[in-house]
Structures are given as C-alpha cells and as structure tokens.
Amino acid sequence: MAPAEPDEASDVHCRLDELLALRGMTLTRLSELVGVSVVNLSVLKNDRARAIRFSTLQAICEALDCEIGELLVRRPRAAT
C-alpha cells in the first residue's frame, strides 16, 4: 500500500485549544504535565502537525482526562 499523499489541508482537526479552555489549563501547564515542548504542542493545536506519537497522544489524553476521539476529530473534505 502506498503512503497517503500529503495535502495542503488536513482532514483531521485537533481540539486541543477547546479542551484546554474547558479545563482552565494553559498550554504551558500541559507541556509540563506531558513532557512535550510548548512549540510542539502549539503545532498540534494549530493543526500543523503531520504525525503524533502514540505515547504523546496517550499522555495528552491522560492529562486532559479525555478520549482520543475528543481530541482528534475528522473534518469533511471541501467539495472541489
């Protein structure tokens, strides 16, 4: 199976900003809890990440007390 072709707009949206706001937590605090730099979390938060380690995903979900499906959601593709 060939790897997926990279595209300009990802179909996956990270709800990190929304989950942080709901929990009254800052990106800096999350960074401290999960051991990931603020810069890398910011890349994820702004939907610029191309990949994420399972261990990082698990640590974020544990720190935010959420499920993976609450953090990452699919967006419908825009019709072309």
Side-chain angles (χ1 to χ4, degrees), residues 2-48:
E5 291 293 320
D7 59 351
E8 293 297 317
S10 173
D11 291 340
V12 176
H13 169 63
C14 181
R15 295 185 60 240
L16 186 55
D17 217 15
E18 299 145 69
L19 293 172
L20 287 169
L22 285 171
R23 285 150 178 82
M25 187 183 295
T26 65
L27 202 60
T28 302
R29 179 62 182 142
L30 181 63
S31 171
E32 294 166 354
L33 291 172
V34 300
V36 174
S37 73
V38 173
V39 171
N40 284 340
L41 288 176
S42 181
V43 167
L44 183 63
K45 177 178 77 101
N46 292 308
D47 292 332
R48 293 190 317 263

Side-chain angles (χ1 to χ4, degrees), residues 51-71:
I52 184 170
R53 291 176 187 253
F54 284 156
S55 58
T56 301
L57 190 56
Q58 181 179 346
I60 291 170
C61 288
E62 286 175 5
L64 294 176
D65 190 28
C66 70
E67 294 295 324
I68 294 168
E70 294 174 86
L71 179 64

